[in-house]
Amino acid sequence: MRNLLAKLARMDWVMTACILLLTVLGTTFIWSAGSARQAASLQNLWAVHACTAALGLLIYLALATFDYRKLLDLTATPFYVVSLVFLFAVLLIGAERFGGKRWLWFFQPSEVAKLAVILFVAHVFGRAGRESFKWFLVGMLLLGAPALLILKEPDLGTALVLVPAVLVMLLAARTWTRGLVALLLAGLLAAGTVLGTVYVAERDANPERRAAIYRFMPLRDHQLKRLRVFLFPERDRRGAGYNLHQAQISIGSGSLWGKGLKQGSQKLLGYLPPSVSMNDFIFAVLAEEKGFMGALGMLALFLGLLLSGVRTAFRATDDRGRLLVLGTTTLIFCHLYVNVAMSIGLMPITGLPLPFISAGRTFLIVLMAALGVVQSVNIHRED
């Protein structure tokens, strides 16, 4: 008991406080968004979120008090292999929802794979002698296998947030640094080329020429629609751009202090669709009801969480712990940035949840578990 209390005394309580406050914030606005729904199961989704968060908190505390070095030695390799098996299985027998196979029984294997990849990459690259081109190829294989399976679901957003998390870890491990920088620049160039091509095609008045251009692009129809909405938000506001348009109205109408909890008219009147107000676009509900100051408060909590992660990474006494913390912190930042940016039109719409705030059981459990391991690095760094 004394040993347990000593470990708890070494916890980063700023990180824990931010996690608790963000979870309460998420539960509150899921309750608010659910009040506009007709189905009782959706009205009570806030209770499911709260119970999931309570379970996640227990996992967080259990992993925080368990030495992360032993955890990596015991579980990193089998966890990664099992996550790949789950990703294969979901393509074969997974439940199809909204045009994709992402659910296997009661959980999403792609969410579990995020933690599995971070743990395994930290385990493999947190050792000396990983700077060569050969190890760069190993890193690309460890990232590429789950990313390709996730893309097959299809779930482009999840695959994309996995990439920067792993690349930051490889950069921190000094794995063929020049090659990684070149890869990052090539990725930015490819993204710019795709956006530029869609922009040029949409500006072309000839529909046959436009169709010919799109035939050579490796994008699905729904992905092209999202890029069109991003580049030309004034078009198709009653179709593909409807959710974004209504989210922007919600955010703007919140003004400085918001309309009050459960008083968001866009949500209540159904203009902000109930199908997205509790998950992908929950930031719009928060911003409408609590205004700019409420959104700023949420971002301040995330800043505290991310800075705690960065501090833990700098204080880590071994490379495995440092890489693990950097990968987790990068993943949370990418989720936060993409979700908020897409809600205000700074990025194409991608179905990524807002950490702790959006409704979603698997991601919340995975997030709590990942941060529990981060906390373990902080507690056990001097052992």
Side-chain angles (χ1 to χ4, degrees):
M1 185 66 180
R2 184 179 299 175
N3 185 38
L4 177 61
L5 291 175
K7 288 181 178 180
L8 292 177
R10 295 202 297 268
M11 285 183 68
D12 184 338
W13 287 100
V14 172
M15 178 185 295
T16 304
C18 289
I19 290 171
L20 290 173
L21 290 171
L22 284 168
T23 303
V24 170
L25 200 64
T27 304
T28 301
F29 283 97
I30 291 170
W31 167 70
S32 177
S35 65
R37 309 290 287 266
Q38 298 298 319
S41 60
L42 297 175
Q43 290 178 355
N44 296 327
L45 195 58
W46 67 270
V48 176
H49 188 81
C51 291
T52 304
L55 174 60
L57 190 60
L58 292 176
I59 295 171
Y60 167 78
L61 292 173
L63 290 175
T65 55
F66 191 84
D67 192 330
Y68 69 95
R69 301 176 186 90
K70 294 179 182 177
L71 181 73
L72 289 175
D73 290 336
L74 291 172
T75 66
T77 302
F79 188 26
Y80 179 81
V81 173
V82 169
S83 72
L84 291 181
V85 172
F86 282 149
L87 289 173
F88 270 116
V90 77
L91 295 177
L92 298 176
I93 60 173
E96 186 167 345
R97 301 181 188 178
F98 305 111
K101 287 187 174 183
R102 300 172 188 173
W103 284 86
L104 189 63
W105 303 303
F106 57 88
F107 72 101
Q108 290 179 278
S110 59
E111 300 293 353
V112 176
K114 293 173 184 176
L115 179 57
V117 170
I118 288 173
L119 291 178
F120 193 50
V121 171
H123 180 62
V124 171
F125 285 86
R127 306 169 188 274
R130 300 295 194 263
E131 294 83 8
S132 65
F133 174 70
K134 178 188 77 172
W135 284 104
F136 167 78
L137 293 179
V138 171
M140 291 300 98
L141 178 63
L142 297 182
L143 169 63
L148 289 174
L149 290 172
I150 292 170
L151 282 173
K152 288 289 290 182
E153 293 182 5
D155 190 351
L156 179 61
T158 297
L160 286 180
V161 295
L162 205 52
V163 173
V166 172
L167 291 184
V168 166
M169 295 172 76
L170 295 181
L171 279 170
R174 300 172 293 278
T175 303
W176 201 48
T177 307
R178 286 181 297 179
L180 281 173
V181 172
L183 185 64
L184 285 169
L185 292 175
L188 292 173
L189 179 62
T193 301
V194 169
L195 283 175
T197 303
V198 173
Y199 181 82
V200 170
E202 288 298 310
R203 299 284 292 186
D204 195 328
N206 189 319
E208 294 180 358
R209 244 191 330 259
R210 188 185 311 140
I213 293 172
Y214 286 152
R215 274 198 294 270
F216 292 98
M217 296 187 68
L219 295 173
R220 297 172 181 263
D221 288 341
H222 72 278
Q223 292 167 344
L224 276 174
K225 286 180 181 178
R226 289 175 176 180
L227 290 180
R228 290 192 197 108
V229 169
F230 171 64
L231 293 169
F232 303 97
E234 71 283 352
R235 294 186 187 177
D236 200 17
R237 286 184 170 174
R238 295 188 178 181
Y242 182 81
N243 288 349
L244 174 61
H245 180 55
Q246 297 302 327
Q248 289 176 324
I249 293 175
S250 298
I251 294 168
S253 65
S255 191
L256 186 61
W257 294 103
K259 299 175 181 177
L261 193 62
K262 294 183 69 176
Q263 301 303 312
S265 56
Q266 290 292 109
K267 171 202 68 183
L268 289 173
L269 297 174
Y271 292 117
L272 184 65
S275 59
V276 298
S277 63
M278 304 174 81
N279 37 61
D280 294 350
F281 285 97
I282 197 167
F283 176 73
V285 176
L286 185 152
E288 182 179 15
E289 297 187 351
K290 289 300 174 182
F292 175 76
M293 298 307 295
L296 197 62
M298 183 203 76
L299 293 176
L301 291 174
F302 274 112
L303 180 61
L305 178 63
L306 295 171
L307 289 179
S308 295
V310 171
R311 186 177 71 164
T312 299
F314 276 106
R315 297 170 70 186
T317 53
D318 73 323
D319 283 340
R320 287 200 297 173
R322 183 174 297 108
L323 296 184
L324 192 154
V325 175
L326 287 174
T328 302
T329 304
T330 303
L331 184 72
I332 294 172
F333 171 77
C334 290
H335 265 274
L336 170 65
Y337 176 78
V338 171
N339 184 279
V340 174
M342 76 171 187
S343 297
I344 59 179
L346 292 180
M347 281 195 70
I349 295 174
T350 306
L352 281 178
L354 185 58
F356 302 106
I357 311 294
S358 295
R361 290 166 295 182
T362 309
F363 181 56
L364 184 57
I365 292 289
V366 167
L367 203 55
M368 290 286 199
L371 287 169
V373 183
V374 169
Q375 192 69 262
S376 176
V377 175
N378 190 67
I379 292 174
H380 297 94
R381 67 180 186 275
E382 295 176 1
D383 292 353

